[in-house]
Amino acid sequence: AHWPIRRRFRQVAKLHEQLLFGFGRSSMKAGLPKLPPKVTCRSLFFGQQDQRFLQMRALQMQEYFEALLRYIPLVDQCEALREFLCSVDVSQMSYDALLDLEQAMGRGGPELRVDAQLIAALPKREVASKCAGCCVICQEPMEKDEDVRVLPCGHEYHFECISQWIHESNTCCVCHSMAVAQPGDCPDVGDMD
């Protein structure tokens, strides 16, 4: 856990420098939240590997980002911040961490509830070999005798994983196409006159 916090701090410090440079002489520069200190008394005495120092640094970075997002609420209007936030390495995140990230970032659209019966009606696929690839959501292999479902786009997931995901976002995790069509999503051919 030491390396990710230290590496993330360097990335946050670089972002902070980019923001300062981007604001130039504008008055916005003065309101920018302060970056957490690089060195503290604790890190000097106990070293930068000290667990309490790293916990405090993680908390300080979280507070920094909360203040930063309050100060720059429209992330799309700040190229450096948008690029930083979009560069999160989601390939190393757990399913729960991905849900936490989505919750922190916001949905960006109206909440959509998918009927559990429609999710349960997704076609099943028999896993022929011992390991037929990994589920993109949990990163675990899809093995024989597991409940594997296929979305209309052709991507496959463990049923437990995709049923949780669809309740959060009715899209395929890979290609972002609609995962489950709901009544009223597609107009009837007769309605297109």
Side-chain angles (χ1 to χ4, degrees):
H2 300 155
W3 170 245
I5 293 173
R6 291 175 59 204
R7 183 180 68 184
R8 200 61 173 166
F9 182 80
R10 286 194 302 274
Q11 293 169 340
V12 169
K14 183 178 177 186
L15 168 67
H16 191 78
E17 287 176 23
Q18 289 174 335
L19 291 172
L20 289 173
F21 179 78
F23 288 143
R25 296 183 183 181
S26 78
S27 59
M28 289 211 42
K29 188 176 186 177
L32 198 63
K34 285 184 68 175
L35 186 67
K38 183 176 181 176
V39 179
T40 65
C41 291
R42 182 160 194 92
S43 70
L44 287 174
F45 287 118
F46 297 102
Q48 296 217 345
Q49 303 292 328
D50 179 62
Q51 195 63 33
R52 279 190 60 203
F53 167 71
L54 292 171
Q55 288 173 341
M56 192 60 167
R57 171 159 283 171
L59 180 64
Q60 289 170 336
M61 284 195 306
Q62 181 179 348
E63 291 169 352
Y64 171 78
F65 269 108
E66 288 172 0
L68 187 61
L69 292 174
R70 279 192 303 272
Y71 188 68
I72 307 173
L74 303 173
V75 173
D76 285 336
Q77 293 181 354
C78 180
E79 186 177 341
L81 182 56
R82 184 181 188 288
E83 187 176 306
F84 179 85
L85 292 174
C86 291
S87 69
V88 174
D89 184 12
V90 295
S91 66
Q92 300 298 319
M93 296 175 78
S94 68
Y95 175 73
D96 291 328
L98 286 170
L99 291 177
D100 290 344
L101 177 63
E102 181 197 27
Q103 188 175 24
M105 291 176 63
R107 298 249 343 127
E111 186 174 332
L112 181 66
R113 277 299 191 214
V114 178
D115 186 1
Q117 291 178 337
L118 293 173
I119 299 170
L122 286 169
K124 291 184 180 183
R125 184 179 79 73
E126 292 293 322
V127 179
S129 63
K130 184 178 181 208
C131 181
C134 288
C135 174
V136 174
I137 297 172
C138 69
Q139 300 293 306
E140 295 291 324
M142 292 186 271
E143 297 179 356
K144 247 183 172 175
D145 301 325
E146 287 187 320
D147 190 357
V148 175
R149 302 298 174 106
V150 182
L151 297 184
C153 60
H155 292 110
E156 302 171 348
Y157 303 91
H158 291 119
F159 177 68
E160 183 179 326
C161 299
I162 197 63
S163 62
Q164 289 180 44
W165 178 259
I166 290 173
H167 283 298
E168 296 296 323
S169 175
N170 188 16
T171 59
C172 172
C173 302
V174 176
C175 66
H176 303 289
S177 63
M178 184 180 295
V180 176
Q182 300 210 82
D185 282 347
C186 299
D188 292 334
V189 174
D191 292 344
M192 298 179 83
D193 294 329

